[in-house]
Amino acid sequence: MQTNFDIAVQFTASREGLYQCSRSDPGNWTFGQIGQGNCVGTMRGISAPVMVRWLGDPAMVTKSVMQTISENDFNAIARSLYWRAINGDQLPSGVDLLLFDFAFNSGVARAAKQLQRVLCLEHIDGDIGEDTLEAILHVPASTFTWALNDRFRRRLQNDLGVAPDGTIGPITLQAIQTQAARLRVLVYALASQQEAAYRSFRGFAQYGGGWVSRLDARVDAAIKLLTAPDWT
C-alpha cells in the first residue's frame, strides 16, 4: 500500500549493514563482477552496480561516494529502484513489505517473477502490472497453495486453528475461506518460494542462516501489517 513504504524501508534498512569493501564480493565492484571496474564497496545494502545505475556513470562511483551514502540516499534509491519497480503502492498490505525486502535483497526480477509463478499466471514477465495486481486480489487461495512448503503449511494451519498435519485438505481450505485468510496464504506461499530461492543460492552454506532469519523476520512483519486493524 502507498502508506506502507516508510514501514517497509525501515524494516529493510534495519537488516542492512554499513560500509564494507571485500574484494571477493562481486557487489563491491562497479561492473558487478570480481575484477571488473573498480572495487568501491557496498553501503547500507546499496551495491556498487546499483549506485552506478543510480548516478548513471561508473566514473562517479568511488569509495568516498559509497562511504557517504546517507539514510536519505538509501530511502530515495529504495523507493525509486525497488518499491516502484514492484508497484508497492498498489500491493496489499503485508504482501508489499514481503516483496519489497526480498526484491532489495535478491533482485526485483526474481521477486516479481516468483509472485507471478505462485499465482500460476501464464505470462511471467517480471512486470507487476494490472494483470498481476488483479490476480493478487482475486485468484482463489486454492490456486497457490501448491507453493507452500511444509513449515509454512503447518504455520498456516496453526494460525487457522486446524490440525497442523501439513496437508492442505478440505478442512484447511474451509478455514481459509471462513476466516478470510486468503492473503495470509499468499504471504506464506511467497515466503516458501523465497526460502527455496535462498537455499538454491551458491552462498547458502555460508550465509543461509542469516538469509532464513531475515526471511522469518520479514514474514512476521508482513503478517503484522496484514492483520493490523487499520488496514482493510
Side-chain angles (χ1 to χ4, degrees):
M1 291 179 65
Q2 186 172 359
T3 53
N4 283 356
F5 173 73
D6 288 345
I7 297 171
V9 80
Q10 287 171 16
F11 175 88
T12 297
S14 72
R15 264 68 191 176
E16 298 293 346
L18 295 178
Y19 184 74
Q20 61 90 5
C21 192
S22 169
R23 296 181 68 84
S24 64
D25 184 344
N28 292 335
W29 294 81
T30 49
F31 293 160
Q33 296 183 37
I34 295 173
Q36 300 296 309
N38 296 315
C39 185
V40 296
T42 293
M43 176 67 156
R44 302 181 188 274
I46 304 297
S47 69
V50 167
M51 202 61 181
V52 169
R53 181 182 171 195
W54 181 247
L55 295 179
D57 181 358
M60 296 177 65
V61 182
T62 64
K63 286 186 177 181
S64 176
V65 166
M66 296 301 296
Q67 288 168 344
T68 54
I69 293 174
S70 67
E71 182 179 349
N72 286 340
D73 295 331
F74 172 85
N75 290 349
I77 293 168
R79 184 188 290 274
S80 178
L81 300 186
Y82 298 95
W83 183 261
R84 289 177 181 164
I86 63 160
N87 212 344
D89 286 348
Q90 302 302 316
L91 293 173
S93 205
V95 176
D96 51 4
L97 184 149
L98 194 79
L99 278 179
F100 168 75
D101 186 62
F102 185 66
F104 188 94
N105 185 229
S106 303
V108 169
R110 177 180 287 110
K113 289 180 179 179
Q114 192 179 78
L115 168 66
Q116 292 172 326
R117 292 191 183 98
V118 166
L119 293 168
C120 298
L121 300 185
E122 292 184 8
H123 193 45
I124 310 297
D125 61 0
D127 178 17
I128 302 178
E130 290 184 8
D131 290 346
T132 303
L133 292 171
E134 184 74 11
I136 291 170
L137 294 177
H138 299 296
V139 167
S142 57
T143 301
F144 46 81
T145 54
W146 70 270
L148 292 160
N149 65 18
D150 184 68
R151 78 180 184 105
F152 282 111
R153 282 195 298 269
R154 293 176 189 274
R155 176 167 173 174
L156 171 66
Q157 289 175 318
N158 277 319
D159 292 352
L160 296 172
V162 301
D165 60 5
T167 300
I168 305 299
I171 294 175
T172 302
L173 290 171
Q174 182 61 45
I176 292 168
Q177 182 176 359
T178 301
Q179 299 181 40
R182 182 181 162 280
L183 286 177
R184 182 183 292 264
V185 180
L186 181 57
V187 165
Y188 289 159
L190 287 169
S192 299
Q193 296 306 300
Q194 290 175 5
E195 181 174 338
Y198 283 143
R199 292 184 180 280
S200 74
F201 293 168
R202 185 170 52 188
F204 186 80
Q206 183 175 2
Y207 303 110
W211 294 341
V212 173
S213 177
R214 178 169 177 161
L215 168 64
D216 288 342
R218 180 191 303 147
V219 171
D220 290 344
I223 293 297
K224 183 177 179 180
L225 274 178
L226 180 63
T227 58
D230 289 341
W231 309 122
T232 58

